[in-house]
Amino acid sequence: MATRKLSFEDNEAARLLFGELNRNLAMIETAMAVKIEVRGTELAISGPSHDLELVESGLKQLYEMILEGLPIYQRDIAYALRILSRSPTTDLKEIFQDQVFISAHQGAISPKSINQKEYIEAIRHNDIVFGIGPAGTGKTYLAVAMAVAAFTAREVKTIILARPAVEAGERLGFLPGDMAQKVNPYLRPLHDALYDMLGVEKTSNLIEQGSIEIAPLAFMRGRTLNSAFVILDEAQNTTREQMKMFLTRLGFNSKAVITGDITQIDLPTDKGSGLIHSMKILKKIKGISFATFNETDVVRHPLVQEIILAYGRDTDARKTTGNKT
């Protein structure tokens, strides 16, 4: 056990760093094997050397960002510790200050992990990007943020968001209502992301004007998508034919982002996933980039990361024993 002392000269910045009633520091104590004592704007941190170095680096970097006017939230403390745990020499400023978009409700949208940062850079520099990984890693949300940013900057004329209408083995024909009512549950997550970023009224107006289109994947057939930012979500549930159809819709001055989780495929057993197939045959084409996420990139409730790990261990165990139940 060792102890290190940190002193922060700016009272307001220190208050923001420590959090209301020192809640940020309490969260650090829970996440790391350290004990933190507070005396004004000074901290005495005790714990194993490795954890001390990580916590000290994180607090110093976050403090400097607060001084520069970057808002830091409690969840950012957790993200910072997670990033430094994986890569202790990471410059947090390079990640957190990369603001993709300023949303109506969520404030600044920026990457919260190294893989998210690389994903954003891939979208900036490639016309087709695949984002592949488990739920809660920000694949779709960041893609929508990049689309909204491109549209706001007038880099594209339209945003097109699509999903295959296949979920948990259900088929559209067995759902109640007309076509719009049938497909709405599949497209609601995309609406929610837009509402967060633009607000309900502005999103509705842009959809009504045709500047934003949210539709089932089948509606893309036969079209050429020019000056558009196109996102295909839940792409693990596309067939090979559907994936080929979608990718060949791309026109001039357009980008496509394809997101999916290959551990949650809901296709019939006799249908191969178009996402997995594309990962095999397209990876060497210049201008197409593949970004991969894992449980360390999860930006939802902390338990989501543990759930993903538990299911992963269970899947591996069943593969080893041959048990399918």
Side-chain angles (χ1 to χ4, degrees):
M1 296 285 289
T3 300
R4 295 191 183 183
K5 293 185 177 181
L6 298 180
S7 180
F8 303 95
E9 296 181 359
D10 189 293
N11 290 338
E12 179 62 15
R15 184 185 67 80
L16 293 173
L17 179 65
F18 298 173
E20 184 179 355
L21 300 177
N22 296 329
R23 286 175 182 168
N24 291 350
L25 302 180
M27 187 194 66
I28 293 174
E29 287 182 317
T30 301
M32 310 296 296
V34 298
K35 177 67 176 178
I36 304 176
E37 295 183 4
V38 185
R39 293 181 180 177
T41 60
E42 295 185 354
L43 302 179
I45 310 173
S46 303
S49 297
H50 176 269
D51 286 19
L52 282 180
E53 292 176 4
L54 190 153
V55 171
E56 180 180 8
S57 173
L59 288 172
K60 285 182 176 179
Q61 290 192 61
L62 292 169
Y63 175 73
E64 291 299 323
M65 284 187 271
I66 292 173
L67 289 178
E68 294 179 14
L70 184 70
I72 297 296
Y73 307 99
Q74 188 177 69
R75 62 180 182 269
D76 295 325
I77 307 291
Y79 300 149
L81 294 176
R82 191 183 302 172
I83 291 169
L84 292 174
S85 294
R86 290 186 60 199
S87 180
T89 60
T90 298
D91 184 349
L92 296 176
K93 183 178 176 180
E94 287 189 5
I95 297 177
F96 286 4
Q97 282 198 324
D98 187 357
Q99 295 187 358
V100 177
F101 186 72
I102 307 297
S103 75
H105 298 130
Q106 300 295 326
I109 298 173
S110 61
K112 302 301 181 185
S113 72
I114 294 172
N115 286 336
Q116 286 191 357
K117 170 68 173 176
E118 293 176 350
Y119 179 53
I120 288 171
E121 291 296 335
I123 294 173
R124 286 175 176 147
H125 297 109
N126 295 274
D127 287 338
I128 298 178
V129 176
F130 288 79
I132 302 164
T137 51
K139 307 180 300 295
T140 302
Y141 197 82
L142 287 174
V144 174
M146 292 291 286
V148 172
F151 177 79
T152 303
R154 297 185 179 181
E155 296 171 4
V156 296
K157 294 180 180 178
T158 57
I159 297 173
I160 300 174
L161 311 176
R163 267 189 166 196
V166 177
E167 298 281 343
E170 297 179 10
R171 297 178 182 274
L172 286 178
F174 294 97
L175 296 177
D178 58 22
M179 180 55 70
Q181 292 170 323
K182 288 175 185 290
V183 302
N184 184 63
Y186 300 95
L187 306 176
R188 185 57 188 265
L190 300 175
H191 281 94
D192 290 343
L194 289 168
Y195 293 158
D196 273 351
M197 295 173 202
L198 297 172
V200 175
E201 184 177 353
K202 186 172 183 180
T203 298
S204 300
N205 289 339
L206 290 172
I207 291 174
E208 186 176 339
Q209 296 167 12
S211 298
I212 295 178
E213 179 181 348
I214 306 176
L217 175 60
F219 288 21
M220 299 297 104
R221 189 172 299 277
R223 301 175 60 183
T224 300
L225 307 175
N226 292 314
S227 297
F229 198 117
V230 194
I231 298 172
L232 173 59
D233 192 32
E234 297 290 338
Q236 75 274 6
N237 288 329
T238 61
T239 64
R240 294 183 182 186
E241 294 77 14
Q242 287 174 326
M243 180 63 77
K244 178 182 177 182
M245 179 273 292
F246 173 80
L247 292 174
T248 54
R249 299 308 94 202
L250 200 65
F252 292 103
N253 191 39
S254 291
K255 281 183 179 289
V257 179
I258 301 94
T259 67
D261 177 1
I262 59 175
T263 69
Q264 296 193 45
I265 298 173
D266 298 311
L267 291 168
T269 54
D270 61 335
K271 294 284 187 179
S273 170
L275 178 58
I276 293 177
H277 181 246
S278 64
M279 292 167 63
K280 296 176 181 177
I281 68 170
L282 302 179
K283 60 184 178 181
K284 293 184 179 181
I285 298 179
K286 188 176 181 180
I288 299 178
S289 178
F290 288 83
T292 304
F293 299 88
N294 56 50
E295 69 280 351
T296 63
D297 300 300
V298 170
V299 291
R300 291 180 181 170
H301 192 287
L303 285 176
V304 173
Q305 182 177 353
E306 297 300 322
I307 291 168
I308 291 169
L309 286 170
Y311 273 95
R313 289 191 295 267
D314 178 67
T315 299
D316 292 341
R318 287 187 287 111
K319 287 180 180 178
T320 301
T321 62
N323 183 5
K324 295 183 179 181
T325 61

